[in-house]
Amino acid sequence: MNIFGWVVLTAATIVGSQWFLLKRYGRNWFLTLPGLFLLYHIVFNVIGGVYVVNGLGPAEVKYLSALLLGVVVHTLAPVIADTILHRNLRYELDNFLVAPMSGLNDTTGFRVSFMLLAGASIAISVYYLSLLPSIPFFDMFKTSVAHSLAISRDLATSSFAGKYHRFSFYFRNILPTLALMTFAARMNWKNQFWNIAFLLTFVFTAFMHVNDVQKMPLINFLGMTLLAYFIFKGRFEWKKVLWLTIIVIVILVVMYQFIMGMFGQEIGKIILTICERLFLAQTKGMYTAFRIYPERFDYLLGATIPNPAGIFPYKRFFLGYQVFAYTFGVKEVVGTAPTVYYTEFYCNFGYGAMIASMFLVSTLLQLFQLFLLRLPKNPLTIGFMAYWLLNASHVSISSIFEYFGIMFAVYWLHFGMMKLCKDIVDTDLKV
């Protein structure tokens, strides 16, 4: 089959999968983990796949086939899971969305537990900022040289002298959930406390998401906020998505002018660069992985699996660094080019393990979605759901271990402690 045949097959697979899923689950399908994952996967990996390949050798065929297999498996998995578990995702989702708010009251204990967790998260984030040689966001206004800004960003992330993942856990995981929770709380309870709490947490979280001048985190945070609004209102609205899309385009144009050294250039050229970044840049890394494994390197045999605190007898191999180097050839900056989760399984164990991982992860997303739908609908669970809708979808552009590893358990432990604190304070006040 030639390139044109792959273009037609890719288009047919995308259109067919979305038509099938919308027909079965309705437009609220986009308010589910499997639904948003598939949308992310299509946008960041599949659409640009046929445009980045150089010829149609064995590596290219394996790469393009993997993209379409990913779409097919993640289209059929929700239906298979519903059948095996005797569940109905559409019924449970619609029931959750229209359910009245319940299971959580605006008590002193809840406010105290919120302030303790939010205060600790903000303090840790401020301490992280104090450790940086310079803050990339402010450097953006001091230099117009994109390379210098990239180095500043690198020192704040990949080459950060401390444990970046431990600090970022609070301003990329805990604070966004709290901000989304306060967003729902102010709409539900309509009082001054939650208005102020929302303003403070939202503004600070937005700053921390743009501080290292990466473009995607802030866009994702705005997307989470819109998802929280949809969940609170009980319905998905296309018009609101259109307005957010326009806002995102404006933000990206401004950020590309300042961050990417494109100030003063034509808007059309900037938008073309944005489209290339959106549809091509991510999938280039995946294509690289299929070209260098196993032709240039042996399979990694699990070396990319996280090794927290070095408890296992091996040193973790960061696949994203290697893929970045072979894709973009940049040596001065330690960049990462993470790919869709199943590429990591391919690089570790081969094509068969990759296909098995598709079924495993698609089932995991479905089970996690069903778990969230069993929670009572209230401001806290709206925060949970809106946060995880986008972040669990990031396994379409990152490792499954990054989002469902040890930090996943730590995340829920934090909110378990928050609930325990709330119950203790409320009990003491009653006594």
Side-chain angles (χ1 to χ4, degrees):
M1 184 164 55
N2 57 24
I3 286 292
F4 179 73
W6 280 106
V7 171
V8 173
L9 183 58
T10 299
T13 303
I14 293 173
V15 173
S17 70
Q18 294 304 302
W19 176 84
F20 172 78
L21 291 168
L22 286 172
K23 194 76 173 178
R24 182 179 177 87
Y25 294 107
R27 63 180 179 177
N28 288 333
W29 167 248
F30 293 114
L31 298 181
T32 67
L33 300 177
L36 271 185
F37 165 84
L38 188 53
L39 181 62
Y40 262 59
H41 180 44
I42 289 172
V43 170
F44 288 105
N45 299 308
V46 182
I47 290 178
V50 291
Y51 298 101
V52 301
V53 295
N54 183 20
L56 281 177
E60 285 73 22
V61 172
K62 286 194 297 183
Y63 158 67
L64 294 173
S65 299
L67 289 174
L68 299 189
L69 276 171
V71 175
V72 172
V73 171
H74 282 274
T75 298
L76 298 178
V79 181
I80 296 172
D82 277 355
T83 303
I84 294 175
L85 298 174
H86 302 291
R87 304 283 287 270
N88 187 323
L89 177 59
R90 180 171 187 169
Y91 174 80
E92 294 190 34
L93 175 64
D94 290 344
N95 278 353
F96 177 88
L97 292 175
V98 301
M101 304 289 275
S102 64
L104 184 70
N105 296 318
D106 184 16
T107 64
T108 301
F110 181 56
R111 293 186 180 190
V112 169
S113 63
F114 160 77
M115 288 189 292
L116 288 174
L117 186 54
S121 300
I122 291 173
I124 291 170
S125 302
V126 171
Y127 179 61
Y128 158 77
L129 293 175
S130 72
L131 297 176
L132 299 179
S134 64
I135 297 178
F137 179 76
F138 297 135
D139 290 342
M140 179 175 65
F141 300 101
K142 298 176 183 178
T143 178
S144 60
V145 181
H147 181 71
S148 298
L149 191 59
I151 293 176
S152 176
R153 178 175 58 194
D154 180 53
L155 291 173
T157 53
S158 302
S159 299
F160 178 63
K163 297 290 186 180
Y164 175 73
H165 68 281
R166 295 179 182 175
F167 287 101
S168 63
F169 171 77
Y170 288 93
F171 58 79
R172 289 283 170 83
N173 297 71
I174 301 299
L175 277 175
T177 305
L178 293 174
L180 297 169
M181 182 203 75
T182 59
F183 176 71
R186 67 180 291 273
M187 289 194 296
N188 185 53
W189 291 317
K190 297 181 175 64
N191 60 50
Q192 195 67 14
F193 176 86
W194 291 111
N195 285 337
I196 296 173
F198 166 70
L199 180 63
L200 292 176
T201 55
F202 186 88
V203 171
F204 185 80
T205 303
F207 171 76
M208 292 305 299
H209 276 62
V210 77
N211 164 66
D212 54 12
V213 294
Q214 295 185 67
K215 298 168 285 297
M216 199 64 179
L218 178 62
I219 303 304
N220 282 331
F221 181 53
L222 295 177
M224 291 178 204
T225 306
L226 183 62
L227 289 171
Y229 173 82
F230 289 156
I231 297 169
F232 181 84
K233 291 296 185 180
R235 61 185 181 276
F236 180 87
E237 300 178 23
W238 288 108
K239 288 184 179 179
K240 296 292 192 304
V241 174
L242 177 61
W243 277 111
L244 179 63
T245 302
I246 295 172
I247 293 171
V248 165
I249 291 173
V250 172
I251 291 174
L252 285 174
V253 168
V254 173
M255 294 181 79
Y256 266 77
Q257 287 182 321
F258 284 96
I259 296 173
M260 306 300 290
M262 301 186 70
F263 190 81
Q265 297 194 23
E266 295 181 359
I267 298 298
K269 184 176 181 180
I270 296 175
I271 292 178
L272 179 61
T273 302
I274 293 172
C275 290
E276 290 177 352
R277 175 64 183 87
L278 188 66
F279 298 116
L280 302 181
Q282 189 69 40
T283 199
K284 283 181 180 178
M286 182 180 175
Y287 177 38
T288 296
F290 277 85
R291 286 190 292 115
I292 63 178
Y293 287 94
E295 282 73 18
R296 184 168 297 189
F297 301 102
D298 293 332
Y299 290 122
L300 296 168
L301 303 179
T304 66
I305 298 174
N307 187 5
I311 59 177
F312 299 112
Y314 69 91
K315 183 178 180 180
R316 184 186 181 189
F317 179 81
F318 289 91
L319 180 63
Y321 294 160
Q322 183 188 56
V323 169
F324 180 88
Y326 277 88
T327 302
F328 302 105
V330 180
K331 297 180 180 179
E332 294 85 353
V333 177
V334 183
T336 61
T339 65
V340 59
Y341 74 88
Y342 57 74
T343 306
E344 183 175 9
F345 282 86
Y346 169 76
C347 294
N348 276 286
F349 305 110
Y351 217 80
M354 179 199 75
I355 296 174
S357 74
M358 293 178 183
F359 287 96
L360 174 65
V361 174
S362 58
T363 302
L364 175 64
L365 292 175
Q366 180 83 343
L367 291 175
F368 189 30
Q369 178 64 65
L370 292 172
F371 161 74
L372 290 173
L373 293 177
R374 288 299 176 94
L375 297 175
K377 184 179 178 181
N378 56 53
L380 185 55
T381 55
I382 287 176
F384 288 151
M385 186 173 291
Y387 172 82
W388 282 108
L389 277 174
L390 271 185
N391 275 271
S393 299
H394 283 174
V395 295
S396 63
I397 53 176
S398 187
S399 167
I400 183 67
F401 303 109
E402 296 297 325
Y403 293 95
F404 290 97
I406 188 170
M407 300 310 288
F408 179 79
V410 174
Y411 172 93
W412 289 99
L413 177 62
H414 275 70
F415 285 99
M417 293 172 62
M418 178 181 173
K419 183 179 185 304
L420 178 62
C421 176
K422 165 196 171 298
D423 293 341
I424 291 174
V425 174
D426 284 339
T427 300
D428 289 344
L429 289 174
K430 289 179 180 179
V431 174

